[in-house]
Amino acid sequence: MKTILLDIDGVLADFVLGFRQLANQRYGVPVYGTMEQLDWSFPDLTVEQQNHLWTEIRESKTFWRDLPVLPTNVLLLEDAVDNHRVYFCTSRLGDSAQYQTAAWLDEKFYITYPTVIVSSEKGRVAAGVGANFALDDKVKHVLQIQQESWAKAFLLDQPYNRDRDWPLLPRVKTVEEFFLKCLK
């Protein structure tokens, strides 16, 4: 049995699409999803507008729960959850982020009672749970996991994390590729 640490946003959930839909409702900016997000800036939104959106997200009882799913092989994810210790670790904000994430995993992937950890200290979390493998879309988190735990951490290839070549970060194109590498 292996211990796996999985990120949510940019890995399983399309946070960018949800954020852009909210931004469109409030400020009329274009809507697009994760696959069109080339970096982590939002130049069509002022800092004030972005702060307002983040406040609204933090206070929302449904934002995280309503996010669309990124393409994922549900059977591989279910198999991993059924046969290994899988922790879902997210940096989501808000008092109900953990509850909404667990409900989202149940509704979208039929994972009942998932273990959801809300933290941006993913290296410490990986060390604390004794993770063997981890998957994240943020370079900073993959580096933390590599430096602070024994887990083999993979970077999920997304347009916004291609700004530099990271030769020490094993990259996978899909969640399925990650599972095939760590569960073989």
Side-chain angles (χ1 to χ4, degrees), residues 139-158:
V139 170
K140 171 186 165 185
H141 291 153
V142 175
L143 290 171
Q144 282 178 350
I145 293 165
Q146 284 185 340
Q147 294 166 357
E148 299 174 24
S149 78
W150 292 102
K152 179 159 181 150
F154 290 84
L155 180 67
L156 181 62
D157 186 56
Q158 295 291 15

Side-chain angles (χ1 to χ4, degrees), residues 35-51:
M35 299 310 176
E36 294 81 37
Q37 181 77 22
L38 300 179
D39 61 34
W40 271 116
S41 68
F42 296 102
D44 56 350
L45 294 165
T46 67
V47 171
E48 238 177 36
Q49 290 170 328
Q50 290 179 55
N51 289 340

Side-chain angles (χ1 to χ4, degrees), residues 65 78 88 99-114 116:
R65 190 174 184 161
E78 286 175 354
F88 298 92
Y99 166 77
Q100 288 185 56
T101 303
W104 183 86
L105 287 162
D106 185 22
E107 290 168 11
K108 305 297 185 187
F109 296 103
Y110 312 107
I111 300 171
T112 53
Y113 307 111
V116 176

Side-chain angles (χ1 to χ4, degrees), residues 9 13-23 25-26 53-68 92-94 96-97 100-101 104 108:
D9 297 310
D14 197 335
F15 164 79
V16 173
L17 181 57
F19 185 84
R20 295 301 299 189
Q21 287 171 332
L22 182 61
Q25 292 167 3
R26 301 298 177 263
L53 292 168
W54 279 111
T55 298
E56 193 168 337
I57 289 167
R58 267 193 297 279
E59 294 172 356
S60 173
K61 301 294 183 214
T62 60
F63 178 82
W64 301 116
R65 190 174 184 161
D66 292 341
L67 288 178
R92 292 176 168 185
L93 303 172
S96 66
Q100 288 185 56
T101 303
W104 183 86
K108 305 297 185 187

